[in-house]
Amino acid sequence: MVTLRSLAPRQLQPPLAVTMGDAAGIGPEIIVKAWRARPDLVAHSVVVGDLAVMRRAVALWGDGLEVAVVNALAHLAMLPRGVIPVKPVTSLDSLPVHGQLSGASGKAAAQCVIEAAQMALRGEVSAMVTAPLNKEAMALGGVTFPGHTELLAHQAALFQGLAQPLPVRMMLMNDALRVVLLSIHVPLRQALAAVTQENILQTLSITNASLHRMLGRAPVIFVSGLNPHAGENGLMGDEERNVIAPALALAKAQGLKVEGPFPPDTVFMNARARFEQPGAPDIVLAMYHDQGLIPVKYMGLEHGVNVTLGLPFVRASPDHGTGFDIAGLSQADPSSLVRAIEVARQLSLPVG
Amino acid sequence: MVTLRSLAPRQLQPPLAVTMGDAAGIGPEIIVKAWRARPDLVAHSVVVGDLAVMRRAVALWGDGLEVAVVNALAHLAMLPRGVIPVKPVTSLDSLPVHGQLSGASGKAAAQCVIEAAQMALRGEVSAMVTAPLNKEAMALGGVTFPGHTELLAHQAALFQGLAQPLPVRMMLMNDALRVVLLSIHVPLRQALAAVTQENILQTLSITNASLHRMLGRAPVIFVSGLNPHAGENGLMGDEERNVIAPALALAKAQGLKVEGPFPPDTVFMNARARFEQPGAPDIVLAMYHDQGLIPVKYMGLEHGVNVTLGLPFVRASPDHGTGFDIAGLSQADPSSLVRAIEVARQLSLPVG
């Protein structure tokens, strides 16, 4: 991507953790395929997972790759190419059947995420990239978080001694659009209640800081309205006049480059059409989950990347699920995972 | 479009009315350009407008075309090519300045729509295609309807002696997606209240009848959910379980080919990716304005067509506005208007 800052030379890259995801899904397959496809990119990265699961994946899709057990990350720099370093976290009783829901796999996947997050919080890795979880499998395994975002927001807060989860936001991006969401996994009715000046200002602040780091400059943030035609001067809703516009005025007074609110049905179209052109928005703030995810997913999930903004470390993931329907069939496409690793590398560059 | 029924030979086509739109906008320009580009398609069509405005447009963009005044539609069949037939409805005191808002232009545009609708209601034309209105200009001219859809729903009801506007629905389509909307120009809060079994059933019934006529077979209708992940079994909202799913069960019992509710953030993506493939949906029912309009507009407005379903006549329009910013500059693209005329021709074919 043109405006992203250049990647540092290989030897300067700080370590990065890739979590295995649900072992019955496509996670292990796309990880192995990413290692084959982009040895340059995955240098100094470690898979946080289950040794037997990763060995099976390498046997199926590794094409000559080998697994190396790595407990001390200092050893990463010494590994030759052609090796997938695995930090073993779980030890499943039996190899999960591809495509089959199980509490054991769900729980193991969550444990890998927790361990990778601890590594990031302790500063051992600079970023984590997460292969997909299955929420139902996690629930069967006794894990009640609906997804990575919520789990990490809680865990990071715990590490810092805070009782409340950190205020994080979900950013979705592909090759033509970036969106950040004001709220995520709540009913649309509750999402309306989350359209507050406080939430908008906090989201803009988190987004501005993260994008600044990513782009090396202050981002231009376009803000969508909530109602049809952005309320059309109060004719079709008043949140734009009463909530969103005043919040944007405050953000501008703080020096943020924000514009809006714009009509929802064209702001994403316009941002895509002008992507990376002079004066174009770098990201669009969506007022609720589907307002942002419908456009960012519309042309397909191949290059979608999900980034959690607001954590004390970098976390990115592919924008697709566990793919239980194609798990084990060698059909999984690692493009989105590769893109997630690229983005995570970008975001974890030292600032300046 | 492959699955649309073939157009009838020219001599069999019933007359079609094209309304001028706001005379200060791009309407007259795209009409003239459409007449130049597609003489085959516009045969037996008449422009309902202002004579002086259309003469100016022909002088600017007609490239040899001539205006012919037509009061009796029977004369249409006798006109040679190279002529734009105009039925004069208004007579503006002065020619509107391109790009300039005025009550006179707004009122004149509405009068043309009313006249064309009367022609359709009386059976003089089989369809109408409308160039864009400007709502603000109409309001300045004392017309309070927010757009064509509402105006036509009232007018058709009046013609039938009904006090309530007809239950019409807005369909938007382009070359890769069709969507129909459960509600349109209301605040999102009110749109949530419009998610009722009755509304869903009525919308499905109207959509099924119109698409059947358009495609020559019963359509497959996919239905989007309202909440993130279509509620995920009640975890993120219960409208899917309590309202949408029961309505779909009733519609299926009536023989309609409906499926859903599907997660909003991927149903449009999937419909686009599979468009016109076997088993693919012919249209997606969106639960509110922006849920359907964000995806259908995402790749641009060039080929977007807006169709009003549920009227006693056919009405289609381009999916863009009056373009005041480019009016008079010869930059307007007639593609969407041409596509709207094609669709209107299709929809007004005799059934069977």
Side-chain angles (χ1 to χ4, degrees), chain A residues 5-79:
Chain A
R5 295 150 73 201
S6 310
L7 286 174
R10 184 177 171 228
Q11 65 276 18
L12 298 180
Q13 289 180 10
L16 177 146
V18 179
T19 59
M20 171 180 74
D22 193 293
I26 59 173
E29 177 179 345
I30 57 177
I31 290 172
V32 168
K33 286 179 170 175
W35 244 263
R36 272 172 51 192
R38 295 292 304 277
D40 56 319
L41 182 69
V42 297
H44 289 210
S45 301
V46 62
V47 177
V48 179
D50 186 285
L51 201 56
V53 168
M54 289 312 300
R55 282 195 167 129
R56 174 174 68 174
V58 162
L60 285 169
W61 302 292
D63 195 25
L65 280 183
E66 286 179 31
V67 166
V69 177
V70 170
N71 284 301
L73 296 192
H75 298 163
L76 278 181
M78 288 172 263
L79 289 176

Side-chain angles (χ1 to χ4, degrees), chain B residues 66-244:
Chain B
E66 287 178 30
V67 166
V69 177
V70 170
N71 284 300
L73 295 192
H75 298 163
L76 276 182
M78 288 171 263
L79 288 177
R81 293 202 174 193
V83 162
I84 297 193
V86 175
K87 176 161 184 173
V89 171
T90 61
S91 187
L92 289 163
D93 290 339
S94 58
L95 279 172
V97 179
H98 283 124
Q100 194 169 301
L101 207 65
S102 85
S105 294
K107 187 175 177 186
Q111 286 174 319
C112 294
V113 172
I114 290 169
E115 174 59 25
Q118 294 292 349
M119 292 160 68
L121 288 163
R122 291 191 300 257
E124 296 169 16
V125 297
S126 62
M128 64 186 286
V129 172
T130 55
L133 295 175
N134 185 292
K135 192 187 314 184
E136 224 176 316
M138 287 204 297
L140 286 174
V143 181
T144 57
F145 291 102
H148 286 103
T149 307
E150 295 85 350
L151 201 165
L152 296 171
H154 275 83
Q155 202 182 357
L158 205 65
F159 189 86
Q160 299 181 359
L162 306 172
Q164 292 297 315
L166 289 191
V168 301
R169 295 295 183 279
M170 188 188 281
M171 173 172 85
L172 271 288
M173 54 183 282
N174 58 34
D175 294 344
L177 182 68
R178 298 185 196 100
V179 300
V180 59
L181 309 177
L182 199 59
S183 64
I184 50 172
H185 296 133
V186 295
L188 186 53
R189 260 169 225 287
Q190 282 180 39
L192 292 183
V195 179
T196 64
Q197 286 197 38
E198 190 185 2
N199 190 2
I200 292 168
L201 280 169
Q202 190 175 47
T203 306
L204 289 171
S205 168
I206 291 170
T207 304
N208 182 62
S210 299
L211 270 279
H212 200 142
R213 171 172 286 220
M214 180 170 172
L215 303 172
R217 58 176 170 76
V220 175
I221 306 173
F222 273 23
V223 179
S224 175
L226 175 69
N227 297 296
H229 307 187
E232 196 149 338
N233 295 317
L235 210 69
M236 305 177 196
D238 49 22
E239 286 89 350
E240 284 80 6
R241 291 196 299 193
N242 295 347
V243 182
I244 305 174

Side-chain angles (χ1 to χ4, degrees), chain A residues 49-337:
Chain A
D50 186 285
L51 201 56
V53 168
M54 289 312 300
R55 282 195 167 129
R56 174 174 68 174
V58 162
L60 285 169
W61 302 292
D63 195 25
L65 280 183
E66 286 179 31
V67 166
V69 177
V70 170
N71 284 301
L73 296 192
H75 298 163
L76 278 181
M78 288 172 263
L79 289 176
R81 292 201 175 195
V83 162
I84 297 192
V86 175
K87 175 161 184 173
V89 171
T90 61
S91 188
L92 289 163
D93 290 340
S94 59
L95 278 171
V97 179
H98 283 124
Q100 194 170 300
L101 207 65
S102 87
S105 294
K107 188 176 176 186
Q111 287 174 319
C112 294
V113 172
I114 291 168
E115 175 58 25
Q118 295 291 349
M119 292 161 67
L121 288 163
R122 290 191 300 256
E124 296 169 16
V125 297
S126 62
M128 64 185 287
V129 172
T130 56
L133 294 175
N134 185 293
K135 191 185 318 184
E136 226 176 315
M138 286 203 299
L140 286 174
V143 182
T144 57
F145 291 102
H148 286 103
T149 307
E150 294 86 350
L151 202 165
L152 296 172
H154 275 82
Q155 202 184 356
L158 205 65
F159 189 84
Q160 300 182 358
L162 305 171
Q164 292 297 316
L166 288 192
V168 300
R169 295 296 183 278
M170 189 187 281
M171 172 172 86
L172 270 290
M173 55 183 283
N174 59 33
D175 293 344
L177 183 68
R178 298 185 195 101
V179 299
V180 59
L181 309 177
L182 200 59
S183 63
I184 51 173
H185 296 133
V186 296
L188 186 53
R189 260 170 226 286
Q190 282 180 36
L192 292 183
V195 179
T196 64
Q197 285 197 38
E198 189 186 1
N199 190 4
I200 292 168
L201 280 170
Q202 189 173 50
T203 306
L204 289 172
S205 168
I206 291 170
T207 304
N208 182 62
S210 299
L211 270 279
H212 200 141
R213 172 172 285 219
M214 181 168 170
L215 303 172
R217 58 176 170 76
V220 174
I221 307 174
F222 273 25
V223 178
S224 176
L226 174 71
N227 297 296
H229 307 188
E232 198 149 335
N233 295 317
L235 211 69
M236 305 176 195
D238 51 20
E239 287 88 349
E240 285 79 7
R241 292 196 299 193
N242 297 346
V243 182
I244 305 174
L248 299 198
L250 289 170
K252 277 180 194 165
Q254 292 170 8
L256 272 65
K257 295 183 175 177
V258 298
E259 295 178 43
F262 295 105
D265 63 351
T266 49
V267 65
F268 302 97
M269 170 189 96
N270 288 330
R272 184 203 67 82
R274 298 168 58 198
F275 192 61
E276 298 193 335
Q277 291 172 22
D282 296 299
I283 190 164
V284 181
L285 169 55
M287 288 293 116
Y288 51 89
H289 183 273
D290 291 329
Q291 192 188 62
L293 293 205
I294 288 173
V296 87
K297 292 188 173 183
Y298 184 60
M299 296 306 290
L301 302 178
E302 293 77 11
H303 297 96
V305 175
N306 178 338
V307 179
T308 310
L309 308 182
L311 289 169
F313 54 86
V314 172
R315 180 253 165 170
S317 74
D319 181 26
H320 57 66
T322 43
F324 273 20
D325 53 329
I326 58 163
L329 302 181
S330 309
Q331 296 168 10
D333 180 346
S335 304
S336 187
L337 178 69

Side-chain angles (χ1 to χ4, degrees), chain B residues 214-300:
Chain B
M214 180 170 172
L215 303 172
R217 58 176 170 76
V220 175
I221 306 173
F222 273 23
V223 179
S224 175
L226 175 69
N227 297 296
H229 307 187
E232 196 149 338
N233 295 317
L235 210 69
M236 305 177 196
D238 49 22
E239 286 89 350
E240 284 80 6
R241 291 196 299 193
N242 295 347
V243 182
I244 305 174
L248 299 198
L250 288 170
K252 279 181 194 164
Q254 292 170 8
L256 272 65
K257 294 183 176 177
V258 298
E259 293 178 45
F262 295 104
D265 63 351
T266 49
V267 66
F268 302 98
M269 170 189 97
N270 287 330
R272 183 203 69 81
R274 298 168 56 198
F275 192 61
E276 297 193 336
Q277 290 174 21
D282 296 300
I283 190 164
V284 181
L285 169 54
M287 288 293 115
Y288 52 89
H289 183 273
D290 291 329
Q291 192 187 62
L293 293 206
I294 287 172
V296 87
K297 292 187 173 184
Y298 185 61
M299 295 307 289

